[in-house]
Amino acid sequence: MKILFTAAEIARMRLPGLPTTKSSILSRAAREGWRYEEQYGIGGIRRVFEIPDRYLVAAHGAMAGRMVSQNTGRYLVRHDDAGKDAAALDAGMLAEAAQILEKWDLDEGVGLSADVKGRLIALCYKMLADGAVSGDLSALLAAVTRVVRDGSNV
């Protein structure tokens, strides 16, 4: 299952190759025939879109370049990763990372911004690529939540 986003959320992500306004995202989605679902809620019907893989691949390459300068320990994306063929991105693994983070964000009521969510999804993706399993990531996020909220030990 892919994660779906509103046009406004996609615009806030500032993905390479995509516009940064809601109306421009809606135009691009219509022109390129993006897959979407309609959600019913307060205020009427809204469309939520699946971001085409080509934009996620471009974002992966750009994010790798930005993360090179960050000291994130074992999961640092190194220069050699940034130069690899972007087609090596595993879309299923990326979707899994996004699902784990989305579930945690909703369950815990964290309310992450699109920018922070994107960076954390990239980190979760990297951890999955390094051999972590979904349960490990979920347990890690739950432990972080406990420590931050209660100051309890892991």
Side-chain angles (χ1 to χ4, degrees):
M1 178 178 107
K2 296 279 187 171
I3 300 295
L4 303 175
F5 301 94
T6 66
E9 290 171 329
I10 295 169
R12 285 192 305 266
M13 288 180 196
R14 299 190 177 281
L15 296 173
L18 287 178
T20 57
T21 65
K22 176 184 172 181
S23 61
S24 296
I25 292 290
L26 290 170
S27 296
R28 175 77 59 95
R31 185 172 61 249
E32 295 180 357
W34 292 7
R35 191 184 84 70
Y36 68 89
E37 293 179 6
E38 291 183 339
Q39 293 182 343
Y40 298 87
I42 297 174
I45 301 171
R46 71 177 180 170
R47 288 184 178 179
V48 288
F49 298 91
E50 179 181 306
I51 302 170
D53 288 341
R54 67 182 168 276
Y55 297 114
L56 296 175
V57 168
H60 174 70
M63 189 171 298
R66 283 195 306 269
M67 290 179 69
V68 165
S69 63
Q70 295 179 1
N71 182 12
T72 57
R74 177 173 177 226
Y75 295 104
L76 174 69
V77 178
R78 293 174 181 79
H79 286 285
D80 56 346
D81 288 343
K84 286 185 180 174
D85 182 14
L89 178 74
D90 182 334
M93 192 179 295
L94 183 61
E96 181 180 2
Q99 289 171 0
I100 292 166
L101 198 71
E102 284 287 341
K103 182 178 182 334
W104 171 73
D105 189 31
L106 289 172
D107 289 351
E108 299 298 332
V110 177
L112 297 173
S113 70
D115 183 51
V116 170
K117 193 178 290 186
R119 284 185 270 151
L120 289 174
I121 288 171
L123 182 61
C124 288
Y125 174 84
K126 179 67 173 150
M127 292 172 73
L128 288 170
D130 284 349
V133 295
S134 298
D136 294 340
L137 292 179
S138 296
L140 173 66
L141 291 169
V144 167
T145 302
R146 280 193 309 276
V147 169
V148 169
R149 291 207 173 135
D150 330 313
S152 65
N153 291 329
V154 177

